[in-house]
């Protein structure tokens, strides 16, 4: 709709891009002073600039079936470039287009008429990246490193020391590991400064437990896999880091299976609230245990008592408190409020809950 979607529109940037494009030019590379010529939506647009000047864009023969530029003038002089600079716009003047049904392949076709978005000075060396290998794993895995520039020389090391780990992350087979490791690497390219170090941690999940999810998380907030809730990695206050598992208008219903019947003293699970992004605490979290995975008993329920009218992200662990139970299966059910509250900018829109890490003590 014309009024957009409050709070969910990239701080107005999508609207700004649309307005720019509708005027007939577009900031392809925001760090550049060049705006790439496109196809104007309106017959005439006047920009009243902050310095008092006025910039006019006018398009003749501007129809839906005539989106191509046949020729153009800038301040009554022939204009044969596929871009206009910010400085030219700020000086004021008039950019006029003659539109056509057919593309004119001679317009702005010279190499010097094309916009430039390449960086040629103060070049940096990108860090290496992990081309193969998951951050969390069960048994063992191979890890490979790569770099955008094939000419880059990569140096690396691990903790524990590499003499206790087999393979090489730069080889086709990669570095083999069956334990927790920290991999550090940097890149060097002739004529440039070396890259910043890249650090990647890999965690082996103990084999004595697994998890089954009875409700589906949103694929864009998977936190890596189904095992994100038992991977020993905790999310922070930023939901975009990839550590949080998001559930959109649905409850979270998860069952953790231990290797054997175990004495359990406490169960907890962490949640994030960021109401500016439609993320709220669950209304309540219920904890259940079972010996056989079929018959469950409730051992704790924590209702949410936190206010949702805060602009800062909030972290909170819901828990059973101290208990004394023997069980092999632990079930956690977190109730989603369903929709954003009436006072919220997204009132009536689907609400999120973001969970991370079920802890069984």
């Amino acid at each position: 709709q014309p009024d957009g979607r409050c709070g969910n529109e990239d701080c107005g940037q999508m609207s700004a891009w649309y307005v720019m494009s509708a005027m007939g030019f577009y900031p392809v590379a925001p760090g550049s002073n060049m705006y790439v010529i496109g196809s104007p939506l309106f017959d005439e647009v006047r920009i009243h600039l902050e310095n008092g000047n006025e910039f006019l864009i006018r398009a003749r023969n501007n129809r839906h079936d005539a989106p191509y530029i046949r020729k153009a003038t800038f301040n009554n002089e022939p204009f044969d470039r596929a871009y206009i600079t910010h400085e030219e716009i700020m000086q004021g003047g008039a950019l006029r287009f003659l539109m056509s049904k057919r593309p004119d392949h001679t317009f702005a076709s010279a190499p010097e008429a094309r916009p430039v978005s390449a960086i040629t000075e103060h070049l940096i060396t990108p860090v290496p990246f992990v081309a193969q290998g998951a951050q969390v794993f069960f048994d063992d895995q191979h890890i490979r490193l790569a770099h955008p520039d094939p000419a880059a020389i990569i140096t690396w090391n691990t903790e524990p020391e590499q003499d206790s780990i087999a393979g090489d992350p730069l080889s086709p087979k990669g570095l083999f590991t069956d334990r927790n490791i920290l991999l550090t690497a940097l890149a060097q390219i002739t004529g440039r400064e070396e890259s910043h170090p890249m650090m990647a941690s890999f965690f082996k999940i103990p084999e004595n437990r697994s998890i089954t999810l009875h409700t589906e998380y949103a694929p864009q907030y998977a936190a890596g896999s189904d095992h994100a809730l038992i991977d020993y990695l905790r999310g922070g206050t930023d939901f975009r880091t990839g550590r949080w598992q998001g559930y959109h208008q649905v409850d979270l219903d998860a069952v953790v299976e231990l290797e054997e019947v175990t004495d359990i003293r406490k169960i907890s699970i962490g949640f994030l609230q960021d109401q500016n992004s439609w993320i709220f605490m669950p209304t309540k979290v219920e904890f259940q245990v079972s010996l056989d995975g079929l018959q469950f008993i409730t051992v704790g329920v924590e209702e949410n008592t936190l206010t949702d009218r805060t602009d800062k992200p909030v972290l909170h662990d819901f828990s059973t408190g101290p208990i004394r139970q023997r069980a092999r299966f632990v079930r956690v059910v977190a109730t989603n409020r369903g929709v954003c509250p009436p006072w919220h900018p997204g009132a009536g829109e689907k609400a999120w809950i973001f969970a991370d890490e079920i802890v069984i003590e």
Side-chain angles (χ1 to χ4, degrees):
Q1 298 298 319
D3 58 354
R5 176 171 290 186
C6 181
N8 191 26
E9 206 260 319
D10 286 353
C11 301
Q13 192 59 53
M14 288 191 289
S15 292
W17 288 336
Y18 181 79
V19 170
M20 295 289 291
S21 184
M23 290 192 297
F25 46 84
Y26 187 85
V28 172
S32 169
N33 70 333
M34 295 181 178
Y35 300 96
V36 178
I37 300 298
S39 183
L41 178 64
F42 301 103
D43 296 340
E44 180 177 301
V45 174
R46 293 179 182 271
I47 306 174
H48 304 288
L49 301 165
E50 294 181 0
N51 60 11
N53 294 334
E54 182 179 87
F55 190 77
L56 168 71
I57 305 106
R58 182 172 289 164
R60 289 173 51 203
N61 194 35
N62 191 27
R63 303 195 309 268
H64 178 73
D65 62 348
Y68 303 104
I69 298 173
R70 181 178 175 185
K71 64 179 181 179
T73 62
F74 179 50
N75 292 338
N76 297 318
E77 297 291 333
F79 185 83
D80 194 35
R81 280 190 271 124
Y83 68 91
I84 188 169
T85 68
H86 180 76
E87 292 75 17
E88 288 173 324
I89 293 174
M90 295 303 293
Q91 290 172 8
L95 179 63
R96 292 181 170 86
F97 298 112
L98 176 60
M99 310 305 293
S100 172
K101 292 183 177 181
R102 297 181 179 83
D104 184 345
H105 296 292
T106 64
F107 175 74
S109 59
E112 60 272 16
R114 302 168 188 168
V116 177
S117 59
I119 299 174
T120 58
E121 298 178 347
H122 310 294
L123 297 177
I124 64 172
T125 302
V127 297
F129 62 89
V130 178
Q132 178 184 333
Q135 188 174 21
V136 294
F137 59 98
F138 277 96
D139 299 318
D140 54 55
Q141 69 169 345
H142 290 82
I143 303 167
R144 285 194 308 106
L145 293 176
H147 195 273
D149 189 337
I153 298 174
I154 300 174
T155 57
W156 60 276
N157 60 68
T158 65
E159 296 179 12
E161 296 297 330
Q162 54 196 73
D163 59 1
S164 63
I165 298 174
D168 184 336
L170 306 180
S171 68
K173 289 186 177 180
L175 176 74
F176 173 84
T177 182
D178 58 2
R179 69 193 74 180
N180 296 347
I181 65 166
L182 172 65
L183 178 60
T184 304
L186 59 81
Q188 295 174 313
I189 298 177
T190 302
R192 305 185 195 176
E193 293 186 7
E194 67 181 19
S195 73
H196 290 290
M198 181 279 304
M199 303 179 69
S201 298
F202 301 89
F203 300 94
K204 182 177 180 178
I205 300 177
E207 298 178 355
N208 63 351
R209 60 179 181 165
S210 61
I211 189 169
T212 300
L213 299 175
H214 294 296
T215 49
E216 294 185 0
Y217 52 79
Q220 67 268 42
Y221 298 114
S225 71
D226 289 357
H227 298 93
L229 298 182
I230 57 170
D231 65 3
Y232 288 82
L233 302 177
R234 296 302 300 264
T237 55
D238 189 345
F239 73 93
R240 294 161 292 194
T241 59
R243 292 283 176 85
W244 290 97
Q245 202 167 75
Y247 293 78
H248 203 196
Q249 205 182 26
V250 298
D251 300 338
L252 182 159
D253 187 345
V255 175
V256 179
E257 180 180 356
L258 305 176
E259 187 176 28
E260 59 186 13
V261 175
T262 304
D263 291 325
I264 297 175
R265 297 292 177 260
K266 183 180 179 181
I267 310 166
S268 62
I269 180 174
F271 286 91
L272 167 71
Q273 176 174 283
D274 187 348
Q275 61 93 356
N276 290 319
S277 300
W278 279 242
I279 304 170
F280 296 89
M281 290 292 172
T283 58
K284 67 176 181 179
V285 179
E286 181 175 358
F287 300 91
Q288 303 174 356
V289 297
S290 171
L291 292 170
D292 58 8
L294 301 174
Q295 300 295 323
F296 284 85
I297 62 170
T298 298
V299 293
V301 177
E302 183 177 345
E303 303 277 348
N304 177 42
T305 60
L306 301 174
T307 179
D308 48 19
R309 296 201 180 202
T310 176
D311 288 333
K312 294 182 179 180
V314 177
L315 300 175
H316 180 68
D317 284 357
F318 290 74
S319 75
T320 59
I323 59 174
R324 298 182 66 87
Q325 293 286 337
R326 285 182 60 77
R328 184 178 178 184
F329 298 86
V330 172
R331 185 180 185 186
V332 179
V333 180
T335 303
N336 192 321
R337 69 183 303 149
V339 297
C340 299
W343 57 265
H344 193 268
E349 297 279 352
K350 296 179 181 179
W352 291 86
I353 54 174
F354 271 54
D356 186 34
E357 210 57 26
I358 297 173
V359 179
I360 303 170
E361 300 177 16

